[in-house]
Amino acid sequence: MKQMINIALPKGRLGEKAYGLLEKAGYPCPELLEDNRKLVFENPEAGVRYFWVKPSDVAIYVERGASDLGICGKDILLEYGPEVYELLDLQMGKCRMCVAGPKEFIDDHSRRLRVATKFTTIARRHYSSQSREIELIHLNGSIEIAPLLGLSDVIVDIVETGKTLRENGLEVMETIVPISARLVANKSGFKFKGEEIRRLVSELGKVV
Ligand code: PRP
């Protein structure tokens, strides 16, 4: 009997684009894009079951085996280091993790740099590789406001078009790492459903 593959999709535009690729690769489930509040969809003929979850939760579902596969940003993988296999770079959701600050900001190395971010692990690792002492301020969103209000000197955040930075008088000071969406797999699911998963990865790889 064909084993169903469970796939956690990030709710939103990235998830819809990723589903578009999976559909092209032979894993359709048209009901998924209908305007309803359902969160679980399956297509037994294609052997696939999809879940819509919050983007930052995808890796949690996959790591704990609630989902075999998931689509997840490299930012989340770097920040939380979940125990999952990273199978494919989907070449979408491209952006970069950056240090940004006010245009007029001059870094005074004699004192600790105040860094506001959602990505504390990435920021800590980045500055420790430069042996720079920092004070981390963990925020949950609208990070760009922090330097404007004097809460921090700089921010570490995702930059896609750069529009949010520009409109708030900030600019990129350093690029830490490029980011894109990845297909990730649960480690034991990869063993037990290896054949089905390898087939999906190979078909998906052809349409990326
Ligand atoms: C992200 C990021 C920036 C913005 C960058 O925010 O934190 O604020 O997108 O995009 P841009 O370079 O195209 O302007 P998100 O929408 O994820 O919301 P957040 O405020 O919760 O981080």
Side-chain angles (χ1 to χ4, degrees):
M1 203 184 77
K2 199 172 188 173
Q3 295 210 72
M4 294 281 273
I5 303 178
N6 297 315
I7 306 178
L9 292 173
K11 231 173 186 307
R13 217 161 41 92
L14 178 66
E16 286 169 18
K17 272 176 81 177
Y19 166 71
L21 281 185
L22 285 153
E23 188 176 44
K24 256 205 220 160
Y27 297 85
C29 191
E31 196 197 350
L32 191 99
L33 296 178
E34 281 172 16
D35 189 18
N36 58 37
R37 298 259 169 159
K38 268 178 75 168
L39 298 172
V40 181
F41 300 87
E42 59 179 54
N43 179 353
E45 287 92 75
V48 74
R49 185 181 295 121
Y50 291 106
F51 315 112
W52 285 123
V53 308
K54 201 172 148 79
S56 51
D57 290 343
V58 168
I60 300 174
Y61 283 87
V62 175
E63 182 178 35
R64 291 176 166 269
S67 189
D68 302 309
L69 298 176
I71 310 291
C72 166
K74 182 70 179 175
D75 50 332
I76 302 290
L77 300 177
L78 291 171
E79 180 63 22
Y80 300 104
E83 282 292 322
V84 295
Y85 291 133
E86 194 181 309
L87 300 179
L88 204 59
D89 183 344
L90 298 183
Q91 305 288 342
M92 58 167 63
K94 286 192 179 182
C95 50
R96 52 198 173 123
M97 187 66 68
C98 294
V99 177
K103 289 195 175 73
E104 61 285 355
F105 176 71
I106 298 164
D107 193 358
D108 170 5
H109 282 255
S110 68
R111 61 174 191 79
R112 287 209 297 178
L113 185 69
R114 295 171 308 151
V115 182
T117 186
K118 253 201 285 205
F119 301 95
T120 49
T121 302
I122 293 174
R124 191 178 292 116
R125 201 181 294 142
H126 174 68
Y127 284 105
S128 102
S129 78
Q130 300 183 345
S131 305
R132 178 75 162 105
E133 261 198 74
I134 60 164
E135 181 186 336
L136 270 176
I137 301 157
H138 181 256
L139 296 177
N140 296 299
S142 300
I143 319 291
E144 291 82 359
I145 289 181
L148 304 184
L149 299 183
L151 179 65
S152 74
D153 300 310
V154 297
I155 62 173
V156 166
D157 201 12
I158 282 168
V159 178
E160 191 182 350
T161 61
K163 191 161 184 267
T164 314
L165 291 184
R166 271 196 305 281
E167 294 193 353
N168 291 289
L170 304 176
E171 63 184 20
V172 171
M173 295 162 61
E174 262 178 282
T175 294
I176 300 177
V177 65
I179 304 288
S180 59
R182 308 294 160 99
L183 177 73
V184 296
N186 173 265
K187 291 191 168 178
S188 49
F190 190 72
K191 263 188 224 135
F192 295 119
K193 299 184 185 175
E195 199 189 318
E196 286 85 352
I197 291 176
R198 265 188 285 272
R199 189 179 317 119
L200 183 145
V201 172
S202 145
E203 292 307 310
L204 194 56
K206 292 179 195 162
V207 297
V208 160

